[in-house]
Structure formats: structure tokens, C-alpha cells
Amino acid sequence: MDIPKLTKHRLICETLKSQILNGTYPPDSRIPPETELTAKFQASRMTVNRAIKELQMAGYVRRTRGSGTYVLSRQVSESQLLAIMIPCLPDAGIYHGLVRSIEETAFSMGYSIILCNADFSFDKARSYIKELVNHGISGIFFSPIFTLDDPAEKCIAENHKLARLFIENRIPFLCVDSMLENFEPQNYVVPDNEESARSLMSLAIQKGHKKCLYVHSILNSSAHLRIKGARNAMKEHGLNPAHVKLIHLKDFMSMKPMQMQKYISDGISLIYAMDDLTALQVINHLKDLGLRVPEDLSLVSHDDLDFSQDLGLTTVHQDLEKEGMEAIVAMHRLINNEITNIRQLIPSRIVVRKTLGDYCPPAEQPQN
């Protein structure tokens, strides 16, 4: 009977694990850098990185940005280990900044972090929770998962099931980025989405915009709060809240020129994208339709990702550093029973750039 050979990443992972257990790499020591491991095992950087991530997930090592990968002590593995469970880790998005802030603050307070990337899979999330329970995790930062294929109601129910698993296993959990909908008890440290959306929409109204399309790909609590904030701004200015019209991104992207022109004829002058990644797709589609931003339609968004400045995108800047720091402090207090409930909203700020222009209704436009 042939003995199956280990895959390259599994070989690297098992070799390093063995060296950690036999003391070759004692607690708090640094394992060789990825470049050295790449040469030693004749593997790609991606394969080495995957092996180290598995060791990190198993609680053997911690990774410190700009410093290296260090072996965890038994004490840390059993009592000072926290996890971050996020829906996905895309090439761009807010999670990079949020995870970095949490990890850096956690390290300064004596904690180590395991990153759990659910890949939009509730099954994978449940598997992570089982492993985390086995490792005696001290607490979990949780960003609710919403998939593009499932209805919002199903995603909400699945997130409730995950939260109940935390509670059943007596694991303190703290929602970050987005809170759970209609679930108690829960703790959270999240951006103040409702207030930032109200302020952003008020600014647009001051520039003459009275109707907008809100383009979304998911409808989680953050999206609902942004919609609520935008509609509250409408009410505050004596306008009809229903003039914030919702449209799914896939429907927007399939829109033909005549359909878009009908919206414009009906007074739509502003596109409100749920986030910067959505705004990027909106800009590209408007270009395909022969429409200019902001000359034909203005555009606003949330997140202030790195590419937003290059696009001249008017957006909401989320203070990810403060959110991460406050989340760690809150989790530390929950773990040590200093508090039993925390619901903290982190203020955001509007960054005004060129995609938000002044709107002059056609009847009011000067004639040549």
C-alpha cells in the first residue's frame, strides 16, 4: 500500500509544528522568515504563507506586521488568544485596516490574534468556531456574514445561529464593522453609519440634490442604517424620504441607457453607493452608458479606501484605527468582567471630493 505524500504546504506546516513542539523554536522565538523558508523547502511564497497561516490558526504562532512570526507560549495559547471572524478578506476593503488596528492594539496588551476568513461560508464559520472552542479562545471579534447569493433573511438567521454558538460555549463576542440585526444580547463597536449617512445626504441636499438611487449589493445592518440616515436627512429638509430609492447592484449594472435616462428625467441626480467598491463599479458602468460624474450624475459613498482619492470620490472616512483600538479595550473589559454590555458608535467624517457636484434642475438651467 502506497503511503500518500504530504502536499508541500502541509509538509512545511508539519515540519515547523514538530520543531516548535521539540523546542527547536521555543516560546517567543521567531521562526525563519518566509524568504528563507521558501528557499529551504523549494516552495513558492504563497505556499509558505499558507502553511504559516495554518500554524497561526492552530494557535502555534502569532504574526506581527513588520517584525516576523513568533512562537506562542502555552500561557498565551490557552488564555490570551483572541480571534477575528470576518466575512472575507478581499484585495481591497476596510477589513485590512480594521484587522491591522485590532492586531496591533491586541499585541500591545498581551494578546495574540487568530484571523478567521469565512469566505462568505456559514459552514466554514461553524468549523472555525469548533476549532476555536478546542483552543480555549478568550474572545471573538465578529463581523456578521452576508452572501451575495442568499436572501438577507437567511443570512440574518444564520448569523443568529453563529452568535448562539458563541453564547452556548461561553465565548465573549464583540461585533465590529456591523452589528447583528434583531439579536440580544450582543456587544458592538461599530461606525456610526446612521449619523454619517445623514450628514452626507444633508450635504448633497444643500447642493441641490433631492432624489437619489441607493445602490447596494447586500442589505446588512450597516446598509439599513445608512438608508435610514439618508432618509432622515430628507425629512429634516422637508423632502420625501421615499426619494431615496433602492436598487440592487446587479440590476444597476444591467441598466440600459434609456432606463438610466428615465431616472434622470424623473429627477434622480445622485447615486449613493453603499461602499467604495460599489462606487467603483457604478463609475465604470456610467462611463459605459456615456454618462459623466459629476456633470450628469453625482456620486457619494462610504469607506474612503485607498483608490478613492484617485477617483475624486466624495465618501465617508471610517476611523478604523480608533474602531480597532476601542474594540480591543472593550473586549479586554468583557473578558475580565469589568463590563457586561457595550454598544459604542465610532464617529466618521465626510471627505468631499469632485464626484459630488451642484445640481441645477433642467428647468432652472440657463439657456445659451
Side-chain angles (χ1 to χ4, degrees), residues 70-81:
Y70 295 84
V71 178
L72 285 173
S73 67
R74 182 178 297 275
Q75 180 182 6
V76 168
S77 296
E78 293 181 351
S79 65
Q80 290 181 284
L81 193 60

Side-chain angles (χ1 to χ4, degrees), residues 25-84:
Y25 300 119
D28 298 322
S29 66
R30 188 173 71 173
I31 68 172
E34 291 186 11
T35 51
E36 186 175 324
L37 293 173
T38 297
K40 178 180 178 180
F41 289 97
Q42 296 184 333
S44 68
R45 187 75 175 265
M46 183 181 299
T47 299
V48 170
N49 185 268
R50 180 181 175 188
I52 294 175
K53 282 184 177 179
E54 288 196 11
L55 288 172
Q56 183 181 19
M57 176 58 211
Y60 286 95
V61 300
R62 61 173 170 81
R63 307 178 86 175
T64 302
R65 187 168 61 91
S67 178
T69 303
Y70 295 84
V71 178
L72 285 173
S73 67
R74 182 178 297 275
Q75 180 182 6
V76 168
S77 296
E78 293 181 351
S79 65
Q80 290 181 284
L81 193 60
L82 304 175
I84 308 173

Side-chain angles (χ1 to χ4, degrees), residues 160-190:
H160 287 184
K161 292 178 184 178
L162 297 179
R164 291 190 192 99
L165 284 177
F166 300 146
I167 294 171
E168 290 167 5
N169 288 281
R170 298 184 179 182
I171 302 173
F173 76 96
L174 183 78
C175 290
V176 292
D177 181 54
S178 184
M179 64 187 74
L180 289 164
E181 293 189 84
N182 305 317
F183 185 88
E184 297 295 341
Q186 69 168 308
N187 298 290
Y188 55 75
V189 175
V190 298

Side-chain angles (χ1 to χ4, degrees), residues 93-94 177 191-201 214-215 222-223 225-227 229-230 271-280 299-308 313-318 348-351 353:
I94 66 162
D177 181 54
D192 193 345
N193 285 294
E194 183 177 344
E195 175 57 26
S196 61
R198 188 199 65 80
S199 298
L200 183 58
M201 194 69 227
Y214 183 90
V215 183
S222 296
L225 287 168
R226 291 170 187 176
I227 294 165
I271 306 293
Y272 193 140
M274 68 171 289
D275 55 37
D276 290 352
L277 293 174
T278 301
L280 181 60
L299 175 67
V300 297
S301 181
H302 280 253
D303 289 349
D304 195 25
L305 299 181
D306 291 341
F307 61 78
S308 300
L313 185 60
T314 294
T315 185
V316 172
H317 177 85
Q318 296 181 192
S348 301
R349 62 181 174 85
I350 298 172
V351 181
R353 300 190 181 104

Side-chain angles (χ1 to χ4, degrees), residues 6 18 25 71 77 85 92 94 96 99 111 118 137 154 169 173 183 206 210 245 276 291 294 301 322 334:
L6 292 175
S18 176
Y25 300 119
V71 178
S77 296
M85 183 176 292
I94 66 162
H96 287 288
V99 169
Y111 292 99
I137 200 78
K154 179 180 178 181
N169 288 281
F173 76 96
F183 185 88
Q206 292 166 20
K210 297 180 180 180
K245 300 179 182 294
D276 290 352
L291 296 171
S301 181
K322 182 175 178 60
L334 286 170

